[in-house]
């Protein structure tokens, strides 16, 4: 059985000392036989500490965002090339906070995704509708657009992960019902089928915690989770299982 992908988005939380302490505790709580394949996205400034802490484990880690160009006059950005050099494996792309706070567009994400794949890193493209869009019944149009543009330069011979995160469920404690999540994941998979014959994992994100992970994870079309708040404590995150 494929392992359930359980990814931690730490956002702008934790310093290097806290990162070190977290992983020393987390590694004691998990084992190779676990059903989860963990992926961590700490703030970029903590990635060296992360690389050291996870060097002897098979846990994956990567960046919350990278720029579409590898180097140059791009103040404040991070490089996919450098991430690959220091041993990272995954990159979050298109998180709703990148869309809403930093005003990045689907076209920006398409260019980032191409660069990420060029460096043999795995992109985790986040998509999701706002409450207003869900209420006006435009969820399917929004998701189709985010997928079509965001994946317009995708190399389907390489791995891609999608994370469906309804914006109204992120950090709000308001989780999608398993039925609503399943229905939306099915739609996302249908759109993906028009782009590739390969099976693309689709993760659910938005207020996932140990108490709701079991029911969500048992849905056919949910292949894992992207977790914010509940990933910040090792003893809580380690309990997120199908
Ligand atoms: P949350 O965040 O689990 O705190 O809702 C999820 C995310 O933003 O990826």
């Amino acid at each position: 059985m494929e392992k359930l992908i359980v990814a931690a988005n730490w956002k702008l939380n934790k310093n290097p000392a806290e990162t070190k302490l977290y992983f020393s505790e987390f590694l004691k709580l998990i084992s190779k036989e676990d059903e989860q394949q963990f992926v961590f996205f700490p703030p970029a400034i903590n990635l060296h500490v992360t690389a050291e802490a996870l060097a002897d484990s098979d846990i994956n880690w990567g960046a919350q965002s990278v720029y579409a160009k590898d180097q140059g006059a791009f103040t404040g950005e991070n490089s996919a090339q450098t991430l690959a050099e220091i041993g990272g494996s995954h990159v979050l792309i298109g998180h709703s906070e990148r869309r809403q706070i930093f005003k990045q567009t689907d076209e920006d994400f398409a260019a980032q995704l191409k660069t990420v794949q060029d460096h043999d890193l795995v992109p985790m493209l986040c998509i999701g509708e706002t409450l207003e869009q869900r209420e006006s019944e435009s969820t399917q149009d929004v998701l189709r657009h985010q997928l079509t543009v965001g994946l317009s330069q995708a190399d389907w011979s390489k791995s891609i992960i999608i994370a469906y995160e309804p914006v109204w469920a992120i950090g709000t404690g308001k989780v999608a019902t398993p039925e609503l999540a399943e229905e939306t994941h099915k739609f996302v998979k249908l759109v993906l089928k028009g782009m590739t014959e390969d099976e693309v994992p689709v993760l659910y994100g938005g207020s996932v915690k140990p108490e709701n992970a079991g029911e969500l994870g048992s849905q056919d079309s949910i292949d894992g989770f992207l977790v914010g708040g509940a990933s910040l404590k090792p003893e809580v995150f380690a309990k997120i299982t199908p």
Side-chain angles (χ1 to χ4, degrees):
M1 199 185 88
E2 286 281 313
K3 288 195 170 201
L4 191 82
I5 302 165
V6 181
N9 175 13
W10 283 3
K11 310 190 181 186
L12 192 49
N13 291 292
K14 296 194 189 296
N15 63 26
E18 290 162 343
T19 301
K20 239 173 147 167
L21 183 66
Y22 181 108
F23 287 123
S24 74
E25 289 175 10
F26 188 73
L27 289 170
K28 286 185 218 143
L29 298 170
I30 56 155
S31 84
K32 285 202 173 11
E33 284 74 51
D34 286 343
E35 292 170 278
Q36 309 99 307
Q37 172 60 52
F38 292 107
V39 188
F40 281 90
F41 296 104
I45 216 160
N46 297 342
L47 289 177
H48 269 294
V49 176
T50 302
E52 272 171 37
L54 299 180
D56 297 327
S57 76
D58 51 15
I59 294 177
N60 293 120
W61 55 271
Q64 294 170 13
S65 177
V66 293
Y67 194 56
K69 297 275 191 332
D70 288 336
Q71 57 186 43
F74 307 110
T75 303
E77 293 298 319
N78 288 298
S79 156
Q81 182 177 35
T82 308
L83 178 68
E85 283 166 6
I86 68 166
S89 57
H90 288 64
V91 179
L92 270 188
I93 297 179
H95 189 275
S96 69
E97 287 147 23
R98 302 301 313 174
R99 295 173 188 269
Q100 296 193 323
I101 305 170
F102 301 101
K103 308 292 176 218
Q104 288 192 305
T105 64
D106 290 305
E107 286 74 14
D108 294 331
F109 303 139
Q112 290 172 6
L113 191 136
K114 181 177 184 324
T115 303
V116 163
Q117 288 197 305
D118 285 347
H119 290 292
D120 292 325
L121 298 161
V122 181
M124 192 179 282
L125 176 69
C126 305
I127 57 169
E129 80 286 2
T130 61
L131 185 60
E132 203 182 8
Q133 291 164 339
R134 162 101 16 213
E135 285 174 347
S136 64
E137 292 179 12
S138 49
T139 298
Q140 293 198 348
D141 291 342
V142 169
L143 298 181
R144 191 185 292 108
H145 181 83
Q146 291 174 342
L147 287 167
T148 309
V149 181
L151 295 169
S152 55
Q153 299 180 61
D155 176 350
W156 292 106
S157 69
K158 297 180 176 177
S159 300
I160 293 179
I161 302 171
I162 302 297
Y164 166 62
E165 301 199 298
V167 178
W168 46 269
I170 295 178
T172 57
K174 223 179 179 186
V175 67
T177 61
E179 295 72 29
L180 185 142
E182 173 66 10
E183 183 194 298
T184 316
H185 277 231
K186 276 212 177 106
F187 172 75
V188 169
K189 292 204 170 193
L190 190 72
V191 176
L192 291 168
K193 277 236 156 60
M195 300 181 182
T196 174
E197 284 171 12
D198 294 331
E199 207 34 59
V200 180
V202 181
L203 317 187
Y204 171 79
S207 297
V208 175
K209 48 188 183 210
E211 295 75 23
N212 57 30
E215 219 186 338
L216 285 163
S218 68
Q219 304 297 313
D220 281 350
S221 309
I222 298 184
D223 305 310
F225 301 118
L226 178 56
V227 186
S231 73
L232 295 173
K233 290 201 176 121
E235 67 281 11
V236 176
F237 189 54
K239 283 202 206 109
I240 296 191
T241 51

